[in-house]
């Protein structure tokens, strides 16, 4: 599945056609260039094929941005929060290595729903920092306890902080967003109805383009962040919405303004001098630990991420009927997806052969075999390493997932249960080795779903841990909500799914969340809200990696 829009046609087919030849020579071509370093801070792990000084500067910059957000929005937890991985791409060549055929205008992306929560930034793009700050604001917001914010504010919050200027001796935020301003300047009668923006729903006629919703979300957030009085009103509004009050009603109660009056207020605000804030806060100098990646790991960086982004269980493209694609176009895109998948498998196996004597080669080969629907070969690759002394969480987890692949295809119930028990044993050992990897807990859930007495208290607890470790994962939230619903815990299901339902970026996840919430509300005897569609996505960098998981 694509993580963002890919170019179709000749370029994609050409990439696939030369994939096998490229893979054979990949090791020698990359080895001469790859000098990858790893920088670790309190909240990030940043990888870059760059100088130590450049990597240290970048790691400090994103850590200071995190400190800025935490100054205004403290997050208290009683457990360790996994660090976000950021990969620094050095221009379009690297961007195409990680996503063949990626649009030239994509300056980076963030994906919370693949096998790996991570971000990629094109460090040569002038929009690189804007993309990373925007996406990290989304990532950060999901860690807040009261995170069921309305869609427009989810997007407006990220847009507002995305233009922050973070340097060693100064932090400023609240700058103009030129792209959003351009969307709003044609005139008052071109703006989308503010009531629809507040509910993040398209008009019946579909008259207003999606980019207006995003632009007005940014403008409205900027307006409310501009004075202490407006910040107080915004807080009252958000509190009311989170408690279940209709967004339009809550806004009018908090501000005393109708949607039309609020729209005029925001428009007048934008015509004046908007506030750029320079907070007088002291942020400690971030500590950065830099290490050099082993040669095999450095050479496989982009393949490693591509393998994580490619779902083992393939599903049809997320087409909700609004894309208006012809059947021939859908078929062509499906062929190109298959070609790129085949090229990835060939490249991964070729690289694995180069490094067959170490951990990198084992994991590349095993994951590639899973993609080609050969879990038996994946297990055969890992088998020599699966003794009782093995403590590598990734090797144990991948072996367990290969066993679960076999269990899904097994027609003998007793044999399938035996495979699941073996997988559960490997996952338990993986959890001991790395208790902060949410994928391990989802794997444990895979061993139990559909089993006797599912979901038990322990099943629910396992999913609660997965969601706590990765609150950004829509897959984890949907699984937990399903378990809650099976236990008649409808209110809890609604609570865990509201951030998914309110995501400004529509996907199969958001539609599924709204369906479950509607069912939960109906079972509780509550009014089922209108399921009108959200606007189209406006930013490719924010599209979830895939609607399929393992």
């Amino acid at each position: 599945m694509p993580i963002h829009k890919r170019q179709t046609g000749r370029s994609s087919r050409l990439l696939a056609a030369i994939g096998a030849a490229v893979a054979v020579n990949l090791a020698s071509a990359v080895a001469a260039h790859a000098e990858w370093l790893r920088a670790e801070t309190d909240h990030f792990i940043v990888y870059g094929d760059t100088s130590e000084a450049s990597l240290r500067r970048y790691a400090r910059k994103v850590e200071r941005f995190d400190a800025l957000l935490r100054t205004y929005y403290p997050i208290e937890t009683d457990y360790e929060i996994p660090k976000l991985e950021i990969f620094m791409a050095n221009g379009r060549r690297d961007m195409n290595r990680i996503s063949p055929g990626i649009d030239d205008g994509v300056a980076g992306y963030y994906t919370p729903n693949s096998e790996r929560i991570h971000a990629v930034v094109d460090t040569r793009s002038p929009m690189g920092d804007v993309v990373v700050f925007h996406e990290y604001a989304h990532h950060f917001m999901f860690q807040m306890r009261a995170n069921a914010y309305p869609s427009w504010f989810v997007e407006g919050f990220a847009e507002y902080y995305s233009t922050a200027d973070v340097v060693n001796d100064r932090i400023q935020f609240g700058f103009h967003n030129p792209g959003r301003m351009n969307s709003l300047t044609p005139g008052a009668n071109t703006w989308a109805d503010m009531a629809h923006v507040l509910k993040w729903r398209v008009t019946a006629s579909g008259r207003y383009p999606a980019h207006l919703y995003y632009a007005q979300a940014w403008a409205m957030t900027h307006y409310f962040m501009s004075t202490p009085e407006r910040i107080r009103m915004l807080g009252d509004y958000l509190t009311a919405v989170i408690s279940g009050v209709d967004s339009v009603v809550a806004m009018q109660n908090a501000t005393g303004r109708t949607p039309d009056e609020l729209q005029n207020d925001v428009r007048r605000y934008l015509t004046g001098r908007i506030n750029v804030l320079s907070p007088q806060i002291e942020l400690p100098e971030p500590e950065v630990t830099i290490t050099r990646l082993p040669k095999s790991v450095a050479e496989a960086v982009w393949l490693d991420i591509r393998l994580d982004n490619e779902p083992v269980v393939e599903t049809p493209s997320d087409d909700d009927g609004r894309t208006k694609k012809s059947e021939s176009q859908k078929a062509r895109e499906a062929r190109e997806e298959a070609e790129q998948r085949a090229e990835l498998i060939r490249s991964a196996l070729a690289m694995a052969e180069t490094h067959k004597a170490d951990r990198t080669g084992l994991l590349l080969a095993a994951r590639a075999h899973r993609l080609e629907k050969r879990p038996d070969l994946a297990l055969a690759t890992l088998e020599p390493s699966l003794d009782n002394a093995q403590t590598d969480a990734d090797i144990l987890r991948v072996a367990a997932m290969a066993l679960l692949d076999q269990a899904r295809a097994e027609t003998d119930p007793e044999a399938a249960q035996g495979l699941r028990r073996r997988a559960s044993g490997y996952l338990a050992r993986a959890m001991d080795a790395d208790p902060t990897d949410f994928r391990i807990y989802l794997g444990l859930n895979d061993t139990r779903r559909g089993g006797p007495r599912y979901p038990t208290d322990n099943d629910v607890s396992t999913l609660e841990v997965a969601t706590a470790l990765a609150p950004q994962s829509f897959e984890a939230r949907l699984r937990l909500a399903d378990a809650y619903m099976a236990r008649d815990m409808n209110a809890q299901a609604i609570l865990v799914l509201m951030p998914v339902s309110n995501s400004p970026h529509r996907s199969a996840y958001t539609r599924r969340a709204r369906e479950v919430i509607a069912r939960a509300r109906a079972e509780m005897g509550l009014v089922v809200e209108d399921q009108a569609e959200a606007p189209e996505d406006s930013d490719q960098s924010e599209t979830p990696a895939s609607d399929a998981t393992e």
Side-chain angles (χ1 to χ4, degrees):
M1 297 290 291
I3 48 181
H4 29 236
K5 184 179 178 182
R6 302 178 190 270
Q7 294 174 345
T8 58
R10 185 173 181 272
S11 61
S12 292
R13 289 193 292 273
L14 181 60
L15 275 168
I18 65 174
V22 171
V24 173
N25 298 312
L26 189 58
S28 59
V30 177
H33 179 65
E35 295 291 340
W36 281 81
L37 301 175
R38 177 185 187 272
E40 184 168 0
T41 67
D42 285 346
H43 301 98
F44 300 91
I45 300 175
V46 185
Y47 303 89
D49 181 9
T50 185
S51 69
E52 181 173 335
S54 294
L55 183 63
R56 189 179 299 277
R57 279 195 301 271
Y58 191 85
R60 283 177 173 165
K61 177 165 57 178
V62 292
E63 186 64 40
R64 284 171 64 81
F65 181 70
D66 172 89
L68 167 66
L69 295 180
R70 289 179 194 276
T71 298
Y72 290 96
Y73 313 98
I75 295 176
E76 296 181 3
T77 63
D78 53 4
Y79 54 88
E80 181 181 353
I81 298 176
K83 301 178 182 184
L84 177 65
E85 293 182 304
I86 300 178
F87 294 84
M88 299 170 66
N90 188 20
R92 305 317 302 169
R93 182 184 180 191
D94 278 352
M95 293 298 287
N96 271 287
R97 281 176 174 169
I98 193 171
S99 181
I102 188 172
D103 282 358
D104 289 342
V106 176
Y109 71 84
Y110 162 80
T111 174
N113 290 316
S114 69
E115 266 283 279
R116 189 180 203 158
I117 296 177
H118 67 279
V120 173
V121 57
D122 182 353
T123 55
R124 291 191 181 182
S125 169
M127 294 297 292
D129 284 353
V130 173
V131 169
V132 168
F133 290 167
H134 178 114
E135 299 306 330
Y136 187 68
H138 283 318
H139 181 87
F140 182 90
M141 179 178 275
F142 270 99
Q143 298 175 48
M144 299 180 185
R145 291 193 181 276
N147 57 15
Y149 297 114
S151 302
W152 74 264
F153 183 68
V154 172
E155 191 59 27
F157 178 88
E159 290 280 288
Y160 179 73
Y161 284 104
S162 69
T163 57
D165 182 23
V166 181
V167 294
N168 288 335
D169 59 349
R170 185 190 73 248
I171 292 180
Q172 292 182 301
F173 59 94
F175 288 97
H176 274 84
N177 185 314
R180 299 313 185 197
M181 284 294 292
N182 288 340
S183 296
L184 299 174
T185 51
N189 61 349
T190 64
W191 284 35
D193 187 321
M194 191 62 86
H196 290 126
V197 176
L198 288 170
K199 292 191 173 185
W200 210 250
R201 296 294 182 266
V202 296
T203 62
S205 65
R207 170 187 171 191
Y208 299 105
H211 65 83
L212 279 176
Y213 287 77
Y214 291 85
Q216 287 175 233
W218 165 77
M220 195 158 35
T221 303
H222 211 297
Y223 168 80
F224 279 113
M225 293 289 200
S226 63
T227 69
E229 175 63 16
R230 290 171 184 165
I231 290 174
R232 183 193 62 76
M233 290 190 292
L234 176 63
D236 291 344
Y237 160 77
L238 293 174
T239 299
V241 171
I242 291 170
S243 68
V245 178
D246 177 84
S247 184
V248 173
V249 173
M251 182 61 77
Q252 191 158 345
N253 289 342
T255 64
R257 310 291 283 171
T258 67
D260 287 343
E261 290 170 337
L262 176 62
Q263 183 162 296
N264 289 332
D265 293 341
V266 174
R267 188 167 56 249
R268 281 193 296 270
Y269 170 73
L270 292 181
T271 61
R273 182 178 180 181
I274 68 174
N275 291 344
V276 175
L277 302 181
S278 301
Q280 302 303 305
I281 55 178
E282 290 189 13
L283 300 179
E285 185 69 13
E287 293 187 7
V288 182
T289 301
I290 294 183
T291 55
R292 187 172 301 278
L293 295 185
K295 179 175 179 288
S296 60
V297 176
E299 292 178 358
V301 163
W302 299 130
L303 279 175
D304 187 51
I305 300 175
R306 286 184 64 192
L307 287 168
D308 280 340
N309 284 337
E310 191 73 22
V312 171
V313 179
E314 297 177 89
T315 60
S317 296
D318 179 21
D319 182 5
D320 58 6
R322 296 175 62 192
T323 57
K324 298 182 174 60
K325 293 179 181 178
S326 67
E327 291 303 315
S328 61
Q329 183 180 0
K330 293 177 185 178
R332 182 175 66 252
E333 291 181 359
R335 286 194 303 271
E336 290 173 352
E337 289 288 334
E339 289 169 358
Q340 290 184 356
R341 184 182 178 95
E343 177 269 322
L344 171 59
I345 292 170
R346 289 193 298 268
S347 296
L349 290 175
M351 181 69 78
E353 181 64 22
T354 302
H355 300 293
K356 60 184 177 183
D358 69 16
R359 172 184 184 274
T360 299
L362 291 177
L363 285 170
L364 285 173
R367 291 150 73 202
H369 287 316
R370 288 192 66 212
L371 286 183
E372 63 178 353
K373 306 296 192 295
R374 292 298 305 272
D376 56 323
L377 295 181
L379 285 167
T381 299
L382 297 176
E383 198 71 46
S385 303
L386 294 175
D387 55 38
N388 291 333
Q390 181 59 261
T391 58
D392 188 304
D394 286 332
I395 287 177
L396 293 166
R397 179 179 57 81
V398 172
M401 300 312 293
L403 286 167
L404 289 173
D405 293 340
Q406 291 185 322
R408 279 190 287 268
E410 180 57 63
T411 57
D412 181 352
E414 187 173 338
Q417 184 59 24
L419 292 167
R420 285 191 287 269
R421 280 196 295 268
R422 285 182 60 197
S424 181
Y426 285 146
L427 289 166
R429 290 165 58 188
M431 182 175 62
D432 288 340
D434 184 2
T436 66
D437 189 341
F438 79 103
R439 299 171 297 181
I440 295 171
Y441 298 89
L442 292 184
L444 286 168
N445 178 249
D446 285 329
T447 69
R448 284 284 302 140
R449 282 201 294 180
R453 298 180 294 108
Y454 181 85
T456 63
D457 288 347
N458 188 62
D459 294 324
V460 172
S461 177
T462 298
L463 288 171
E464 287 175 337
V465 173
T467 304
L469 291 172
Q472 303 85 4
S473 171
F474 289 0
E475 172 68 16
R477 286 178 176 271
L478 280 163
R479 290 195 193 192
L480 178 56
D482 285 340
Y484 281 153
M485 291 287 288
R487 299 287 296 271
D488 294 325
M489 301 168 66
N490 297 331
Q492 291 90 328
I494 292 172
L495 185 63
V496 80
L497 284 184
M498 284 303 294
V500 184
S501 174
N502 288 350
S503 171
H505 310 296
R506 80 166 198 239
S507 68
Y509 287 114
T510 56
R511 289 192 295 278
R512 169 68 177 148
R514 289 167 186 168
E515 291 168 359
V516 175
I517 288 173
R519 179 160 57 90
R521 291 181 64 87
E523 291 182 6
M524 295 172 68
L526 301 175
V527 175
V528 177
E529 297 178 350
D530 176 35
Q531 296 295 305
E533 282 290 350
E536 297 270 1
D537 279 340
S538 175
D539 191 336
Q540 297 169 28
S541 66
E542 301 154 19
T543 304
S546 170
D547 289 335
T549 63
E550 301 178 17

